[in-house]
């Protein structure tokens, strides 16, 4: 995220210390949208937005009633907030990144759907969580230098989710997948939006020397 002003203002949809440590720089202002009542006031000064990881998205947002029974606790306030952040970023061409749940929200907010529970619907060829975070490999569908170094096409990433992208939004291109076919990274066509990228894993927790952590 870049700004012509002296300071860069980044909005997190919901803050945690890992995200703050990941993006903090001397002239960066980080705002936690989840704790701010007047969202319009911070959107007007946003240089970039990050939709962070978290709870399952309410399946009613993608017209699904079956998935409700496999979801954890639903946070309706957060669903509404993140849909608003996405819509604002999309309309005003504000740079936006999605992490884990954030990638799922980009897909849902633009017309896609989700698998309710990966082990039930896809299987266990790849373990995406096991009482916490796990590691697995992903492979690129196509080069994406905004996210991945160009020297390789397979990467070991962390994973902590039981839902994932099913029907892919028309504005989204999948650029990486796990070996069970599940989307692991997406971009929005630059003709539609100049900078909107997302990953299903957690680059903020990959460590400061990890090339994906540094690049994103």
């Amino acid at each position: 995220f870049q700004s012509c002003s002296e300071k860069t203002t980044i909005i997190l949809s919901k803050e945690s210390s890992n995200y703050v440590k990941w993006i903090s720089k001397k002239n960066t202002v980080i705002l936690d949208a989840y704790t701010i009542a007047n969202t319009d006031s911070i959107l007007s000064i946003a240089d970039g937005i990050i939709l962070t990881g978290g709870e399952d998205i309410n399946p009613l947002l993608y017209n699904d009633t079956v998935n409700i029974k496999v979801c954890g606790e639903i946070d309706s306030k957060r669903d509404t907030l993140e849909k608003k952040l996405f819509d604002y970023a999309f309309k005003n061409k504000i740079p936006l990144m999605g992490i884990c749940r954030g990638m799922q929200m980009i897909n849902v907010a633009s017309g896609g759907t989700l698998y309710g529970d990966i082990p039930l619907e896809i299987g266990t060829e790849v373990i995406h969580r096991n009482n916490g975070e796990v590691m697995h490999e992903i492979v690129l569908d196509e080069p994406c230098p905004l996210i991945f170094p160009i020297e390789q096409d397979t990467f070991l990433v962390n994973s902590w989710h039981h839902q994932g992208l099913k029907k892919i939004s028309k504005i989204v291109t999948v650029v990486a997948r796990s070996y069970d076919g599940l989307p692991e990274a997406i971009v929005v066509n630059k003709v539609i939006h100049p900078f909107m990228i997302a990953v299903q894993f957690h680059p903020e927790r990959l460590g400061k020397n990890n090339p994906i952590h540094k690049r994103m």
Side-chain angles (χ1 to χ4, degrees):
F1 298 130
Q2 296 180 340
S3 172
C4 295
S5 62
E6 196 169 301
K7 292 186 179 294
T8 301
T9 301
I10 306 299
I11 296 176
L12 300 179
S13 62
K14 191 171 185 180
E15 183 181 296
S16 77
S17 61
N18 285 328
Y19 292 105
V20 173
K21 290 176 184 176
W22 181 38
I23 63 172
S24 288
K25 290 184 179 180
K26 183 178 180 181
N27 293 321
T28 300
V29 176
I30 300 171
L31 300 175
D32 181 5
Y34 194 78
T35 63
I36 296 173
N38 186 356
T39 313
D40 293 336
S41 66
I42 61 172
L43 284 173
S44 66
I45 60 171
D47 294 301
I49 297 169
I50 301 177
L51 304 182
T52 58
E55 307 87 354
D56 294 336
I57 296 168
N58 192 329
L60 295 179
L61 288 182
Y62 49 97
N63 299 315
D64 186 302
T65 57
V66 176
N67 281 351
I68 292 175
K69 63 187 178 183
V70 295
C71 284
E73 185 175 348
I74 299 294
D75 187 342
S76 297
K77 171 188 172 181
R78 186 169 185 185
D79 288 338
T80 302
L81 169 64
E82 291 189 342
K83 178 65 164 59
K84 181 176 182 177
L85 295 178
F86 170 85
D87 288 344
Y88 184 89
F90 190 83
K91 179 180 178 181
N92 295 281
K93 310 304 182 194
I94 304 296
L96 183 143
M97 295 199 306
I99 308 299
C100 197
R101 170 195 163 95
M103 177 168 128
Q104 296 171 9
M105 179 56 77
I106 290 172
N107 192 55
V108 167
S110 58
T113 66
L114 303 178
Y115 290 107
D117 188 71
I118 293 165
L120 290 176
E121 295 188 60
I122 296 180
T124 55
E125 177 187 353
V126 176
I127 303 299
H128 292 274
R129 73 173 184 182
N130 185 14
N131 297 317
E133 190 172 88
V134 297
M135 304 291 290
H136 65 71
E137 285 192 321
I138 64 173
V139 62
L140 300 190
D141 277 8
E142 60 182 74
C144 183
L146 289 173
I147 302 174
F148 302 103
I150 60 174
E151 302 84 24
Q152 61 191 90
D153 59 9
T154 59
F155 298 88
L156 185 67
V157 299
N158 51 2
S159 181
W160 191 0
H161 63 102
H162 79 113
Q163 299 194 332
L165 274 58
K166 186 176 183 179
K167 174 189 171 186
I168 307 301
S169 160
K170 291 180 180 179
I171 71 167
V172 163
T173 298
V174 177
V175 295
R177 299 177 187 270
S178 50
Y179 282 101
D180 56 5
L182 196 74
E184 291 282 347
I186 61 173
V187 298
V188 172
N189 190 312
K190 285 188 176 181
V191 175
I192 298 172
H193 191 283
F195 189 98
M196 191 174 288
I197 63 176
V199 293
Q200 185 60 71
F201 50 91
H202 286 269
E204 81 283 0
R205 297 204 300 260
L206 282 174
K208 64 180 181 179
N209 294 321
N210 182 277
I212 301 173
H213 174 100
K214 293 192 289 187
R215 187 165 298 238
M216 290 188 69

